[in-house]
Amino acid sequence: MDQLMQLDIWTKDLADLRQRLAVAIAVLAVTQATRAAQAHARLSGAVARFEASAIPPEVFASELQAIQHSLVPQPR
């Protein structure tokens, strides 16, 4: 196999890797945006319940910790 053919194979492999990386980055961005939107909704609900005196401060603090924990990516 000559060098030109090898270079062509490497170029195609690199293009495939770039495409896979782009897809992985897009999936990660959507996942993070979804996670953030869910956390925002949960936080808004917890704040509203706390302001309405529907939950005690320790329950509010516990909910905030749970929301914060949900934002940390979990290892696979």
Side-chain angles (χ1 to χ4, degrees), residues 5-76:
M5 289 179 73
Q6 186 63 45
L7 181 60
D8 186 50
I9 291 170
W10 287 345
T11 302
K12 289 177 183 175
D13 288 346
L14 180 58
D16 181 52
L17 288 174
R18 283 184 176 172
Q19 182 178 9
R20 289 175 188 229
L21 180 59
V23 169
I25 290 170
V27 167
L28 180 60
V30 169
T31 301
Q32 292 293 22
T34 300
R35 185 177 288 141
Q38 290 169 342
H40 181 267
R42 289 177 62 197
L43 179 59
S44 295
V47 169
R49 288 191 310 281
F50 181 69
E51 289 177 339
S53 299
I55 58 174
E58 55 274 359
V59 173
F60 179 65
S62 176
E63 287 190 24
L64 292 181
Q65 286 179 338
I67 293 167
Q68 183 180 18
H69 180 72
S70 74
L71 293 173
V72 177
Q74 302 300 313
R76 293 182 180 198

